[in-house]
Amino acid sequence: MLTLSGLPLLIHLKLSGCVRISNKGLLSLASQAHLLQLLHLDKCIKLNDDGMRHLALHQAEDDGMNHLARMTGHVLGLASCPEIGDVGVSRLSTLTSLSSLSLAHCPRVTEEGLLSLDALIYVADFEY
């Protein structure tokens, strides 16, 4: 993934349909996009549970997307990501400031994965 170090004020990023975005790219994104509030990764078919670990790990380590733990109003779109499953969804439960989450058309996400999201109390817009 292209380095985002030259975009320190980036708050909205829409990469929907970018089929070459990988978990490694998501790791780079999570470690560089400190102000990100909206992230659309819909139809990024290479992303899987490990990629969700990168988002959650950087939040937990007070690095990268750590602002997600402190603020509300964040949007995460993961619709039509066929390799994201229950394990990845459960990792998203640490992103407690999400106000909008889309997991529509993610065939590996089941009711078990959805139940793990009960910590996301600010989600007002949820798509499955």
Coordinates of all heavy atoms in Angstrom, one line a residue, residues 78-122:
L78 N -17.1 -2.8 5.8 CA -16.4 -4.1 5.4 C -17.3 -5.0 4.6 O -17.1 -6.2 4.5 CB -16.0 -4.8 6.7 CG -14.9 -4.1 7.5 CD1 -14.8 -4.8 8.8 CD2 -13.6 -4.0 6.8
A79 N -18.4 -4.4 4.0 CA -19.3 -5.2 3.2 C -18.6 -5.9 2.1 O -17.7 -5.4 1.5 CB -20.4 -4.3 2.6
S80 N -19.1 -7.1 1.8 CA -18.6 -8.0 0.7 C -17.1 -8.3 0.8 O -16.5 -8.3 -0.2 CB -19.0 -7.3 -0.6 OG -20.4 -7.1 -0.8
C81 N -16.7 -8.5 2.0 CA -15.3 -9.0 2.2 C -15.4 -10.5 2.6 O -15.6 -10.8 3.8 CB -14.6 -8.2 3.3 SG -14.2 -6.5 2.9
P82 N -15.3 -11.4 1.6 CA -15.7 -12.8 1.8 C -14.8 -13.5 2.8 O -15.2 -14.6 3.3 CB -15.6 -13.3 0.4 CG -14.7 -12.5 -0.3 CD -14.9 -11.1 0.3
E83 N -13.6 -13.0 3.1 CA -12.7 -13.8 3.9 C -12.7 -13.3 5.4 O -12.0 -13.9 6.2 CB -11.2 -13.7 3.4 CG -11.1 -14.3 2.0 CD -11.5 -15.7 1.9 OE1 -11.1 -16.5 2.9 OE2 -12.2 -16.1 1.0
I84 N -13.5 -12.3 5.7 CA -13.6 -11.9 7.1 C -14.7 -12.8 7.7 O -15.8 -12.9 7.2 CB -14.0 -10.4 7.2 CG1 -12.9 -9.5 6.6 CG2 -14.3 -10.0 8.6 CD1 -13.2 -8.0 6.6
G85 N -14.3 -13.3 8.9 CA -15.2 -14.2 9.6 C -15.4 -13.8 11.0 O -15.1 -12.7 11.4
D86 N -15.9 -14.7 11.8 CA -16.3 -14.5 13.2 C -15.1 -14.0 14.0 O -15.2 -13.2 14.9 CB -16.9 -15.7 13.8 CG -18.3 -16.0 13.3 OD1 -18.9 -15.1 12.7 OD2 -18.8 -17.1 13.5
V87 N -13.9 -14.6 13.8 CA -12.7 -14.3 14.5 C -12.4 -12.8 14.3 O -12.1 -12.0 15.2 CB -11.5 -15.2 14.2 CG1 -10.2 -14.7 14.8 CG2 -11.8 -16.6 14.6
G88 N -12.4 -12.4 13.0 CA -12.1 -11.0 12.7 C -13.1 -10.0 13.3 O -12.7 -9.0 13.8
V89 N -14.4 -10.4 13.2 CA -15.4 -9.6 13.7 C -15.3 -9.4 15.2 O -15.4 -8.3 15.8 CB -16.8 -10.1 13.3 CG1 -17.9 -9.4 14.1 CG2 -17.0 -10.0 11.8
S90 N -14.9 -10.5 15.9 CA -14.8 -10.4 17.4 C -13.6 -9.4 17.7 O -13.7 -8.8 18.8 CB -14.5 -11.8 18.0 OG -13.2 -12.3 17.6
R91 N -12.6 -9.3 16.9 CA -11.5 -8.4 17.1 C -12.0 -6.9 17.0 O -11.4 -6.0 17.6 CB -10.4 -8.7 16.2 CG -9.7 -10.0 16.6 CD -8.7 -10.4 15.6 NE -8.0 -11.6 16.1 CZ -7.4 -12.4 15.3 NH1 -7.4 -12.3 14.0 NH2 -6.8 -13.5 15.8
L92 N -13.0 -6.7 16.2 CA -13.5 -5.3 16.1 C -14.2 -4.8 17.3 O -14.5 -3.6 17.4 CB -14.5 -5.3 14.9 CG -13.9 -5.6 13.5 CD1 -15.1 -5.6 12.5 CD2 -12.8 -4.7 13.1
S93 N -14.5 -5.7 18.2 CA -15.3 -5.3 19.5 C -14.4 -4.3 20.3 O -15.0 -3.6 21.2 CB -15.6 -6.5 20.3 OG -14.5 -7.2 20.8
T94 N -13.1 -4.2 20.0 CA -12.3 -3.2 20.8 C -12.4 -1.8 20.2 O -12.0 -0.9 20.8 CB -10.8 -3.6 20.7 OG1 -10.4 -3.6 19.4 CG2 -10.6 -5.0 21.3
L95 N -13.0 -1.7 19.0 CA -13.2 -0.4 18.4 C -14.5 0.2 18.9 O -15.5 0.4 18.1 CB -13.2 -0.5 16.9 CG -11.9 -1.2 16.3 CD1 -12.0 -1.3 14.8 CD2 -10.7 -0.5 16.7
T96 N -14.6 0.5 20.2 CA -15.8 0.9 20.8 C -16.4 2.2 20.4 O -17.6 2.5 20.8 CB -15.6 0.9 22.4 OG1 -14.5 1.8 22.7 CG2 -15.3 -0.5 22.9
S97 N -15.8 3.0 19.6 CA -16.3 4.3 19.2 C -17.0 4.2 17.9 O -17.5 5.2 17.4 CB -15.2 5.3 19.2 OG -14.4 5.1 18.1
L98 N -17.1 3.1 17.3 CA -17.8 3.0 16.0 C -19.2 3.4 16.1 O -19.9 2.9 17.0 CB -17.7 1.6 15.4 CG -16.3 1.1 14.9 CD1 -16.4 -0.4 14.5 CD2 -15.9 1.9 13.8
S99 N -19.7 4.2 15.2 CA -21.1 4.6 15.1 C -21.8 3.9 13.9 O -23.0 3.8 13.9 CB -21.3 6.1 15.1 OG -20.7 6.6 13.9
S100 N -20.9 3.4 13.0 CA -21.5 2.8 11.8 C -20.6 1.6 11.4 O -19.4 1.8 11.3 CB -21.6 3.8 10.7 OG -22.1 3.1 9.5
L101 N -21.2 0.5 11.2 CA -20.4 -0.7 10.8 C -21.2 -1.5 9.8 O -22.4 -1.8 10.0 CB -20.1 -1.6 12.1 CG -19.4 -2.9 11.8 CD1 -18.0 -2.7 11.2 CD2 -19.4 -3.7 13.1
S102 N -20.6 -1.8 8.7 CA -21.2 -2.6 7.7 C -20.5 -4.0 7.5 O -19.3 -4.0 7.2 CB -21.2 -1.9 6.3 OG -21.8 -2.7 5.3
L103 N -21.2 -5.0 7.7 CA -20.7 -6.4 7.5 C -21.6 -7.2 6.5 O -21.6 -8.4 6.5 CB -20.6 -7.2 8.8 CG -19.6 -6.6 9.8 CD1 -19.9 -7.2 11.2 CD2 -18.2 -6.8 9.3
A104 N -22.3 -6.4 5.7 CA -23.3 -7.0 4.7 C -22.5 -7.9 3.7 O -21.4 -7.5 3.3 CB -24.0 -5.9 4.0
H105 N -23.1 -9.0 3.4 CA -22.5 -9.9 2.4 C -21.1 -10.4 2.7 O -20.3 -10.6 1.9 CB -22.5 -9.2 1.0 CG -23.8 -8.6 0.6 ND1 -24.9 -9.4 0.3 CD2 -24.2 -7.3 0.5 CE1 -25.9 -8.6 0.1 NE2 -25.5 -7.4 0.2
C106 N -20.9 -10.7 4.0 CA -19.7 -11.3 4.5 C -20.1 -12.7 4.9 O -20.6 -12.9 6.0 CB -19.1 -10.5 5.7 SG -18.5 -8.9 5.3
P107 N -20.0 -13.7 4.0 CA -20.6 -15.0 4.2 C -20.0 -15.8 5.4 O -20.6 -16.7 5.9 CB -20.3 -15.7 2.9 CG -19.2 -15.0 2.3 CD -19.3 -13.6 2.7
R108 N -18.8 -15.4 5.9 CA -18.2 -16.2 7.0 C -18.5 -15.6 8.3 O -18.1 -16.1 9.3 CB -16.6 -16.2 6.8 CG -16.2 -17.0 5.5 CD -14.7 -17.1 5.4 NE -14.2 -17.8 6.6 CZ -13.1 -17.3 7.2 NH1 -12.4 -16.3 6.7 NH2 -12.6 -17.9 8.3
V109 N -19.3 -14.5 8.3 CA -19.7 -13.9 9.6 C -21.1 -14.6 10.0 O -22.0 -14.6 9.2 CB -19.9 -12.4 9.5 CG1 -20.5 -11.8 10.8 CG2 -18.6 -11.8 9.1
T110 N -21.1 -15.1 11.2 CA -22.3 -15.8 11.7 C -22.9 -15.1 12.9 O -22.3 -14.1 13.3 CB -22.0 -17.3 12.1 OG1 -21.2 -17.2 13.3 CG2 -21.3 -18.0 11.0
E111 N -23.9 -15.6 13.4 CA -24.6 -15.0 14.6 C -23.6 -15.0 15.8 O -23.5 -14.0 16.5 CB -25.8 -15.8 15.0 CG -26.5 -15.2 16.2 CD -27.8 -16.0 16.5 OE1 -28.4 -16.6 15.6 OE2 -28.2 -16.0 17.6
E112 N -22.7 -16.0 15.9 CA -21.7 -16.0 16.9 C -20.8 -14.8 16.8 O -20.5 -14.1 17.8 CB -20.9 -17.3 16.8 CG -19.8 -17.4 17.9 CD -19.0 -18.7 17.8 OE1 -19.5 -19.7 17.2 OE2 -17.9 -18.7 18.3
G113 N -20.3 -14.4 15.6 CA -19.5 -13.3 15.5 C -20.2 -12.0 15.8 O -19.7 -11.1 16.5
L114 N -21.5 -11.9 15.4 CA -22.3 -10.7 15.7 C -22.5 -10.5 17.2 O -22.4 -9.4 17.7 CB -23.6 -10.8 15.0 CG -23.6 -10.8 13.5 CD1 -25.0 -10.9 12.9 CD2 -22.8 -9.6 12.9
L115 N -22.6 -11.6 17.9 CA -22.8 -11.5 19.4 C -21.6 -11.0 20.1 O -21.7 -10.4 21.2 CB -23.2 -12.9 20.0 CG -24.6 -13.4 19.6 CD1 -24.8 -14.8 20.1 CD2 -25.6 -12.5 20.2
S116 N -20.4 -11.1 19.5 CA -19.2 -10.6 20.1 C -19.1 -9.1 20.0 O -18.2 -8.5 20.6 CB -18.0 -11.2 19.4 OG -17.8 -10.7 18.1
L117 N -20.0 -8.4 19.3 CA -20.0 -7.0 19.1 C -20.8 -6.2 20.1 O -21.0 -5.0 20.0 CB -20.5 -6.6 17.7 CG -19.7 -7.2 16.5 CD1 -20.4 -6.9 15.2 CD2 -18.3 -6.6 16.5
D118 N -21.2 -6.8 21.2 CA -22.0 -6.2 22.2 C -21.4 -5.0 22.9 O -22.0 -4.2 23.5 CB -22.6 -7.2 23.2 CG -21.5 -7.8 24.0 OD1 -20.3 -7.7 23.7 OD2 -21.8 -8.5 25.0
A119 N -20.0 -4.9 22.8 CA -19.3 -3.7 23.4 C -19.5 -2.5 22.5 O -19.1 -1.4 23.0 CB -17.9 -4.0 23.6
L120 N -20.0 -2.6 21.3 CA -20.1 -1.4 20.4 C -21.4 -0.7 20.7 O -22.3 -0.7 19.8 CB -20.0 -1.9 19.0 CG -18.7 -2.7 18.6 CD1 -18.7 -3.0 17.1 CD2 -17.4 -1.9 18.9
I121 N -21.4 0.0 21.8 CA -22.7 0.6 22.2 C -23.1 1.8 21.5 O -24.2 2.3 21.6 CB -22.7 0.9 23.8 CG1 -21.5 1.8 24.1 CG2 -22.5 -0.4 24.6 CD1 -21.5 2.3 25.5
Y122 N -22.1 2.4 20.7 CA -22.4 3.7 20.0 C -22.8 3.4 18.6 O -23.1 4.3 17.8 CB -21.2 4.6 20.0 CG -20.8 5.1 21.4 CD1 -19.7 4.6 22.0 CD2 -21.7 6.0 22.1 CE1 -19.4 5.1 23.3 CE2 -21.4 6.4 23.3 CZ -20.2 5.9 24.0 OH -19.9 6.3 25.2

